Amino acid sequence: MKKPNKKNNSEMWLYLDALGILETGTAEEIKAAKKTYRKNYLLKYKQHQRASRPEFTIPLSKDNGDYSLIAASAKKHKMSIVAFIRSAAKSYINKTYIVPDRYQVAEIEQSLASCLNEIQAIAGKKERFFFDREQKYQLVENRIEKLGSEINGILRYPSTIEELLIKEIREKPSLKERLLFILNNMVNDHQNQVT
């Protein structure tokens, strides 16, 4: 049998060489050994993939609307269903938000960064008698930075309902009484429907 060239100097050829089948085996034995090697290789590969990248099967019922709800949400976010489920689960755990259009948010951030760069370039030119102009540029620059961080916070890390209510009640104490009134009416209506 001829020596394997560099192209064939792979794990399979090392396996066949270790068996000693390359020198003494027939074509059928070599073919059977290659088939066994491929089968074992594929088995080990799949085991490694399962260990390093576990997969889960999630049945989604079309009857109760689970599938259509997830499919519509994935389409809205411009993601595949699998990518959307993965992203939604990670977002839920990290208490973040999946932005409906990531590219649009990125464009807004890029736009704000461009404005900020232009303002910094203008403000960088320090003229001797134009201190007021420089201060105005600084104020605009600060506003754009604040707006950028607020957009990022609102779209990527929105507040929970509880956090929003607490914030609003702190700002408007009368809101607490109105909310309690509304909730009491809802509880009374529910109790009347049950009885």
Side-chain angles (χ1 to χ4, degrees):
M1 182 121 220
K2 66 179 183 176
K3 270 184 164 178
N5 61 20
K6 287 185 181 180
K7 184 173 125 183
N8 292 334
N9 195 8
S10 65
E11 294 289 323
M12 181 190 296
W13 287 103
L14 295 172
Y15 169 79
L16 295 174
D17 192 39
L19 287 177
I21 206 158
L22 288 174
E23 288 119 21
T24 60
T26 64
E28 292 297 320
E29 290 173 336
I30 292 173
K31 189 175 179 180
K34 284 181 179 181
K35 187 175 180 180
T36 302
Y37 173 81
R38 285 189 198 104
K39 185 176 176 183
N40 289 334
Y41 176 82
L42 189 59
L43 178 69
K44 287 179 185 175
Y45 175 78
K46 285 182 179 179
Q47 288 172 344
H48 173 72
Q49 286 297 94
R50 283 189 205 111
S52 64
R53 298 179 68 184
E55 293 183 10
F56 302 94
T57 302
I58 303 170
L60 298 173
S61 173
K62 288 187 177 183
D63 296 337
N64 66 8
D66 287 348
Y67 177 79
S68 56
L69 177 69
I70 300 246
S73 296
K75 186 176 182 180
K76 177 182 169 188
H77 287 83
K78 298 177 183 170
M79 298 173 144
S80 69
I81 292 176
V82 173
F84 174 75
I85 290 172
R86 181 186 308 115
S87 183
K90 287 165 77 176
S91 295
Y92 178 79
I93 291 166
N94 295 328
K95 295 182 181 175
T96 60
Y97 181 71
I98 303 173
V99 179
D101 191 346
R102 295 174 292 177
Y103 302 110
Q104 186 178 21
V105 173
E107 284 175 12
I108 292 169
E109 290 173 338
Q110 186 176 12
S111 226
L112 286 170
S114 296
C115 289
L116 183 60
N117 289 340
E118 290 170 8
I119 289 170
Q120 286 172 340
I122 294 169
K125 297 176 185 175
K126 296 187 179 181
E127 298 179 19
R128 190 170 182 188
F129 300 107
F130 295 100
F131 299 113
D132 288 339
R133 187 174 72 178
E134 196 172 309
Q135 284 179 332
K136 288 177 184 175
Y137 286 143
Q138 186 63 43
L139 289 172
V140 172
E141 182 179 335
N142 292 343
R143 275 190 224 125
I144 290 175
E145 283 179 345
K146 184 180 177 189
L147 181 61
S149 66
E150 286 176 0
I151 287 173
N152 187 36
I154 290 168
L155 293 178
R156 295 188 198 274
Y157 307 99
S159 301
T160 63
I161 292 173
E162 292 85 5
E163 291 168 342
L164 289 172
L165 284 173
I166 290 168
K167 181 182 174 191
E168 287 297 315
I169 289 171
R170 281 187 189 139
E171 291 175 8
K172 301 173 195 167
S174 62
L175 180 64
K176 183 176 181 180
E177 294 167 11
R178 286 180 31 216
L179 285 172
L180 288 172
F181 178 76
I182 292 168
L183 291 172
N184 282 332
N185 285 340
M186 289 174 66
V187 169
N188 290 336
D189 289 344
H190 179 69
Q191 287 175 346
N192 289 339
Q193 288 176 357
V194 172
T195 57

